[in-house]
Amino acid sequence: MPDDYGLYIDKLYLSHYRFLSLFLSLFSRLRLCPACFICGLLRLLFGLFLGLLSVAVGAVFMVRQTDYKRLLAYSSVEHIGLITVLYSLYSTSASQKLVMAAILLHIAAHSLTKTMLFQLAGNLLLAFQTRAISVVQGLGEVMKKEAALWVSGFILICGMPPSALFLSELGLVFSAPIYVSVIVLVLLFVVFAAMMKAALNMTMGKPLAHYNKLPKRLIIVPGILFVMIVAGGTIASAYILIFGGVK
């Protein structure tokens, strides 16, 4: 993943990274006076602004994306923004345990799901020797197992059940102010539309380019990760239903 991200560091991405680094340094300084109302308000507003900015940047650059690895990279920018929003809500929320549970759940679920997708993206790169979405098509016909995991991974990373990301994003919506929840839901809809368009374009239709057959062992790790993601989301959902959520 660091190598993939390193290929696409442009001025906008660097500026965004510097803003997030500045936020974390200022946030740590503001925590020195937790009883101060002004500092708490600054933490909330500054964190919400940068978090929503991250989600918006990821959503905008995913809409017309032509590179499936870069698409995954901007998806990570979006999820970092969601985690930043949750982190900024923690100190002012009336249900801090809910927010902290959502943060930890989101980090764990995103890490597993994005690892699976980058594993599959590497397999596609080996097979087609290109990152272009317009060239990698017809996966459902020539690489059925990879196609099934690819589409499933996109659905899970967008926070659809049984992904644990659904629970963490639901926790964000319930704990955030109404205007933040509305903005996040609108941006998540844009992300879902952009990612599913790319996934379906790559899996439907006829193959447009020659592809190399891959060893069957390359599907093992993504398959195991998929089982872990679905099992984790199912267990988390069952826990909430049985025990009534985070107390």
Side-chain angles (χ1 to χ4, degrees):
M1 283 180 65
D3 293 336
D4 297 322
Y5 280 41
L7 291 173
Y8 303 115
I9 295 181
D10 51 19
K11 292 182 179 179
L12 178 62
Y13 194 88
L14 284 174
S15 300
H16 179 261
Y17 177 78
R18 292 191 187 102
F19 270 119
L20 283 179
S21 300
L22 177 63
F23 162 69
L24 291 176
S25 64
L26 290 177
F27 192 92
S28 62
R29 292 177 182 273
L30 290 175
R31 285 180 63 88
L32 295 176
C33 49
C36 178
F37 173 78
I38 296 178
C39 290
L41 184 62
L42 287 175
R43 284 200 303 271
L44 175 63
L45 295 179
F46 196 44
L48 289 179
F49 171 74
L50 288 184
L52 292 175
L53 177 64
S54 299
V55 180
V57 167
V60 169
F61 280 88
M62 278 190 277
V63 170
R64 297 180 62 86
Q65 192 54 246
T66 59
D67 184 319
Y68 57 84
K69 278 199 160 185
R70 186 179 289 186
L71 182 71
L72 296 180
Y74 280 115
S75 170
S76 293
V77 173
E78 171 232 338
H79 283 281
I80 290 172
L82 293 174
I83 294 170
T84 305
V85 171
L86 282 167
Y87 190 56
S88 64
L89 291 171
Y90 175 71
S91 59
T92 57
S93 175
S95 53
Q96 290 187 338
K97 289 186 178 180
L98 172 63
V99 176
M100 181 54 66
I103 293 173
L104 298 176
L105 197 61
H106 198 103
I107 292 173
H110 174 259
S111 299
L112 289 174
T113 310
K114 194 56 65 65
T115 300
M116 182 189 77
L117 286 173
F118 268 108
Q119 289 276 344
L120 291 170
N123 291 353
L124 297 181
L125 183 59
L126 287 174
F128 289 89
Q129 298 297 311
T130 180
R131 295 183 176 91
I133 294 174
S134 59
V135 177
V136 182
Q137 296 191 15
L139 291 178
E141 184 173 322
V142 297
M143 300 174 69
K144 294 182 180 180
K145 294 179 181 178
E146 284 82 358
L149 289 176
W150 187 248
V151 175
S152 299
F154 272 56
I155 292 174
L156 293 171
I157 201 66
C158 289
M160 299 295 289
S163 173
L165 292 173
F166 173 77
L167 300 176
S168 62
E169 291 171 1
L170 198 64
L172 188 156
V173 171
F174 285 157
S175 59
I178 183 63
Y179 65 92
V180 175
S181 299
V182 171
I183 294 173
V184 168
L185 289 174
V186 171
L187 292 174
L188 289 179
F189 175 79
V190 174
V191 169
F192 178 79
M195 296 200 72
M196 291 312 302
K197 177 185 176 183
L200 293 177
N201 284 343
M202 294 173 68
T203 54
M204 306 295 286
K206 298 290 184 180
L208 299 180
H210 172 75
Y211 69 97
N212 303 314
K213 289 188 176 181
L214 301 178
K216 294 182 179 180
R217 66 178 183 273
L218 294 182
I219 200 67
I220 294 176
V221 173
I224 293 174
L225 289 171
F226 175 74
V227 173
M228 292 174 61
I229 294 162
V230 173
T234 303
I235 291 172
S237 301
Y239 176 86
I240 292 175
L241 289 174
I242 295 172
F243 297 102
V246 181
K247 300 299 183 181

